[in-house]
Amino acid sequence: LPAHIATLLWSCFALAVVLWLIWRLCPVTKAPGLKTVTLLLLLSGGIFAATQYEWQPADALPFTAVNNSEELQQQLAAARAQGKPVMLDLYADWCTACRELDDKTFSDPQVQHSLSDYQLLRADVSANNAEHRALMQELQVLGLPNVLFFDKQSKPSPHLRIQGFIPADELQGKLEQCQHSQLC
């Protein structure tokens, strides 16, 4: 399950356990007002939490989806025509490190600023179907997460390739090095 759904389900489970414990441990005859006050506090806390909760996680970056090699080639050609470098993120819902990249690296304001001139592509290979496997084989991707960079002529930049999780400051350093050396 996506992280935001799992968190919501665990929260509901915890709330149900607390309500059950209150009901079992506070007999009405001993403290009739205590149950009511506790239930009202829990209800108001739940309402407050629900209004503060981010129901749909915002994408850290505005990715364009690609599902296969043909779509990738079309996007690379479009970026080449615009003179833009490309970052391709190979991602899966079940990949913990992929979500960590979104939460900790791609959400960093400096990283987002450094990537603002890039065409940002994402191949969600969660389904692991034949097209996804063919794309991963073509790109020589053995595991996730994997982030590939292409220069303004759509040629791969192997020195920038990322395999596994990378903290925001490390990615920022690689991007700055790339910009200073004119390799991107």
Side-chain angles (χ1 to χ4, degrees):
L1 292 175
H4 66 285
I5 299 294
T7 302
L8 179 63
L9 291 175
W10 279 112
S11 300
C12 290
F13 175 72
L15 181 61
V17 169
V18 168
L19 289 173
W20 180 82
L21 285 171
I22 290 169
W23 189 258
R24 296 294 290 161
L25 298 176
C26 295
V28 176
T29 56
K30 291 183 182 176
L34 183 59
K35 266 189 188 176
T36 305
V37 169
T38 306
L39 287 173
L40 286 174
L41 285 173
L42 279 172
L43 182 62
S44 62
I47 291 171
F48 175 76
T51 60
Q52 302 302 309
Y53 188 77
E54 187 179 329
W55 290 97
Q56 291 292 339
D59 282 336
L61 293 169
F63 289 106
T64 300
V66 292
N67 295 303
N68 54 45
S69 182
E70 183 180 317
E71 289 179 10
L72 174 60
Q73 294 308 318
Q74 289 171 353
Q75 291 295 328
L76 287 173
R80 186 172 48 248
Q82 296 174 3
K84 293 179 106 176
V86 173
M87 182 185 86
L88 171 64
D89 176 35
L90 285 104
Y91 171 92
D93 287 338
W94 43 261
C95 169
T96 304
C98 296
R99 291 193 310 252
E100 195 175 16
L101 266 177
D102 272 349
D103 294 341
K104 296 180 180 175
T105 304
F106 295 151
S107 63
D108 183 86
Q110 285 184 314
V111 169
Q112 290 180 353
H113 177 72
S114 294
L115 291 172
S116 63
D117 292 333
Y118 282 74
Q119 173 67 34
L120 304 171
L121 305 177
R122 174 171 276 174
D124 184 346
V125 295
S126 299
N128 197 26
N129 60 31
E131 282 186 323
H132 295 161
R133 288 189 300 274
L135 177 63
M136 290 176 66
Q137 184 176 7
E138 176 186 332
L139 298 171
Q140 299 176 348
V141 171
L142 300 176
L144 299 176
N146 216 301
V147 182
L148 292 85
F149 290 85
F150 299 84
D151 65 16
K152 293 177 181 179
Q153 288 75 41
S154 297
K155 293 179 184 165
S157 300
H159 59 283
L160 267 182
R161 186 175 190 142
I162 298 168
Q163 296 175 330
F165 173 75
I166 183 173
D169 57 341
E170 271 187 60
L171 177 57
Q172 182 63 29
K174 283 186 173 222
L175 291 169
E176 287 173 5
Q177 181 182 18
C178 180
Q179 289 170 346
H180 293 309
S181 64
Q182 302 295 323
L183 294 173
C184 301

